[in-house]
Amino acid sequence: MTNYSSPILPPSTIGIIGGGQLGQMMALSAKAMGYKVGVLDPTDHAPAGQVADFQIVAEYDDLKALTQLAQQSDVLTYEFENVDQTALKQVENLTRIPQGVELLTITSHRLREKTFCRQHGLPVTPFVSVKSMADLQAAIQKIGQPGLLKTVEGGYDGHGQFDINEQTDWHLIESEIEQTEWIYELKQDFVRELSVMVTRDGQDQVITFPVSENRHQHHILHTSIIPAQTTDAVKSKAQHIAIQTAEALNLRGVLGIELFELSSGELMINELAPRPHNSGHYSIEACNISQFDAHIRSICGLAIPPIRQFEPAVMVNLLGKNLLTARTDWPTHPEWHLHDYGKAEVRDRRKMGHITVTGPSIESLLASVSQFR
Ligand code: AMP
């Protein structure tokens, strides 16, 4: 990866590929620091576009539009991992892309990601590459079941996944298996799902955030509790894994690491996200530096101080119509930090906003947002 010696200072322009809520919160951090922000997103007036200096309304893989964004930006970043890598490579010489394209090559493909982890001694669940029914049968023989069959690319929040167990509908899998590439993973009987946000600053110092405990519904993150309600030993193991991962990747920008905690206290990486992560939103109100501030500082080559969390925090996602309830109930909950992403259309299970609450007692924080849990 290119080592840029001089930091990128305000009022330089930061270009963000993707105009969703992550881009919006990145843009808000960047704007507060005095940067100009440009966004590329196909939806006019996208959440990030609403708070940026300009938005280019075009598809993410529209090379003309991406070139325009690169030419107008001193540094380019992205808010999701499925960026068109070929298009991004073509604009590499027009601007700085400190996170690099390789980070995307690894993290946008489950098989490459898990192979990378295994090669660097980072713990992952046993896995096998699958392209046919015969491969799947061999994979089950090799690592056992229950397991999960996941598409190597494009799946998120549980999309593109099959549970492999006694009840599996093999006909359904048979009709889909040869359409794409898959990874078969052993299903882990975890006690908790955790995550850590990590980054490296302009002096290559690795900076980690406190460990989040994450609860999902229908495979979608619902609630994060920070600090995670687990032992100090598990939390420091998670931080250690985060540091090793950041170093192995020569990381720039924030990376979210999702982990499973097993009953033995052992940890396994489930997924790497090369961007700020939903479970790190608490850091906006609960920490001296938010994950979005850290992301901007990192890609601009600036220093980042050690992260301190002032108070315990709970974050709940507002999915679909829960946003409308939150808007109505907010006046009676002055303790809520309500984030409304400004999405035009309310859809079932769509992430429309979130609420963070901070305070000394996790129990009362959970009670404060219990109607959404
Ligand atoms: P993913 O789409 O890979 O992020 O997975 C979404 C959710 O599915 C995770 O947050 C877990 O709750 C569950 N999951 C994924 N992989 C596994 C696994 N190997 N073992 C157990 N649960 C899993």
Side-chain angles (χ1 to χ4, degrees):
M1 179 184 297
T2 318
N3 199 357
Y4 304 105
S5 46
S6 54
I8 298 160
L9 297 173
S12 301
T13 301
I14 299 176
I16 306 175
I17 305 170
Q21 64 267 21
L22 296 176
Q24 183 185 58
M25 289 181 270
M26 277 182 204
L28 289 169
S29 280
K31 291 299 299 168
M33 295 177 205
Y35 291 99
K36 291 198 171 65
V37 177
V39 169
L40 170 66
D41 195 279
T43 307
D44 192 15
H45 220 55
Q50 293 171 27
V51 300
D53 294 275
F54 64 93
Q55 181 183 342
I56 299 169
V57 181
E59 294 298 328
Y60 308 120
D61 59 357
D62 179 331
L63 189 58
K64 212 168 125 215
L66 193 59
T67 303
Q68 194 190 337
L69 182 69
Q71 280 167 339
Q72 286 181 249
S73 304
D74 299 283
V75 58
L76 211 56
T77 186
Y78 38 78
E79 61 142 22
F80 56 84
E81 44 273 52
N82 299 316
V83 175
D84 187 315
Q85 292 163 39
T86 317
L88 196 59
K89 273 203 184 113
Q90 285 180 266
V91 302
E92 245 178 338
N93 57 353
L94 298 177
T95 183
R96 297 190 193 184
I97 310 177
Q99 291 158 281
V101 180
E102 202 196 340
L103 179 65
L104 288 173
T105 312
I106 297 169
T107 58
S108 64
H109 190 279
R110 292 180 201 278
L111 195 60
R112 281 201 286 269
E113 181 173 279
K114 291 215 160 65
T115 306
F116 175 89
C117 290
R118 193 154 69 183
Q119 281 168 349
H120 287 84
L122 298 162
V124 277
T125 189
F127 65 93
V128 177
S129 161
V130 166
K131 291 182 183 143
S132 64
M133 283 311 273
D135 286 353
L136 179 57
Q137 294 308 338
I140 295 168
Q141 280 290 320
K142 186 169 174 203
I143 61 173
Q145 62 171 344
L148 285 155
L149 185 67
K150 304 178 178 176
T151 52
V152 291
E153 280 180 310
Y156 66 95
D157 288 344
H159 297 280
Q161 290 191 11
F162 289 105
D163 274 302
I164 305 293
N165 52 37
E166 321 288 63
Q167 281 89 49
T168 297
D169 180 351
W170 297 104
H171 293 296
L172 194 61
I173 296 180
E174 217 164 353
S175 64
E176 290 199 25
I177 199 153
E178 293 195 11
Q179 287 168 23
T180 183
E181 283 181 57
W182 306 80
I183 180 172
Y184 177 68
E185 298 179 5
L186 194 62
K187 188 163 188 166
Q188 293 296 332
D189 189 16
F190 53 79
V191 289
R192 242 174 244 105
E193 292 196 66
L194 306 175
S195 61
V196 195
M197 275 18 92
V198 63
T199 189
R200 271 162 85 243
D201 74 2
Q203 280 105 45
D204 294 343
Q205 294 286 336
V206 177
I207 310 287
T208 58
F209 280 80
V211 180
S212 313
E213 173 177 338
N214 303 318
R215 301 194 181 154
H216 295 78
Q217 268 175 17
H218 311 289
H219 293 284
I220 301 173
L221 177 68
H222 200 274
T223 306
S224 291
I225 301 168
I226 311 93
Q229 303 297 283
T230 184
T231 63
D232 287 346
V234 166
K235 282 185 275 189
S236 48
K237 209 182 297 175
Q239 303 249 355
H240 182 70
I241 289 172
I243 293 167
Q244 273 184 294
T245 311
E247 283 170 352
L249 286 167
N250 263 329
L251 184 66
R252 276 287 179 272
V254 164
L255 177 87
I257 306 178
E258 298 177 12
L259 300 147
F260 299 137
E261 178 189 339
L262 311 189
S263 54
S264 59
E266 199 185 336
L267 291 176
M268 280 184 183
I269 294 178
N270 174 41
E271 202 158 53
L272 307 177
R275 50 170 172 76
H277 190 266
N278 193 170
S279 63
H281 293 355
Y282 77 92
S283 58
I284 295 175
E285 286 88 12
C287 296
N288 56 331
I289 297 281
S290 79
Q291 62 166 349
F292 300 101
D293 296 343
H295 182 77
I296 298 299
R297 287 182 186 224
S298 174
I299 60 166
C300 291
L302 299 167
I304 304 175
I307 306 299
R308 281 179 299 120
Q309 184 179 354
F310 302 127
E311 279 190 313
V314 165
M315 185 234 44
V316 282
N317 272 335
L318 297 170
L319 302 174
K321 291 204 176 82
N322 276 347
L323 172 71
L324 309 180
T325 313
R327 281 182 185 159
T328 315
D329 293 358
W330 187 35
T332 57
H333 284 277
E335 76 281 15
W336 287 356
H337 295 281
L338 175 63
H339 294 250
D340 180 337
Y341 306 144
K343 293 185 183 176
E345 195 191 337
V346 178
R347 280 202 306 263
D348 233 21
R349 296 190 189 170
R350 188 180 196 197
K351 291 174 182 170
M352 301 298 301
H354 73 266
I355 293 172
T356 299
V357 280
T358 71
S361 148
I362 297 243
E363 238 170 58
S364 37
L365 299 179
L366 286 169
S368 158
V369 291
S370 60
Q371 72 198 92
F372 302 110
R373 292 174 48 236

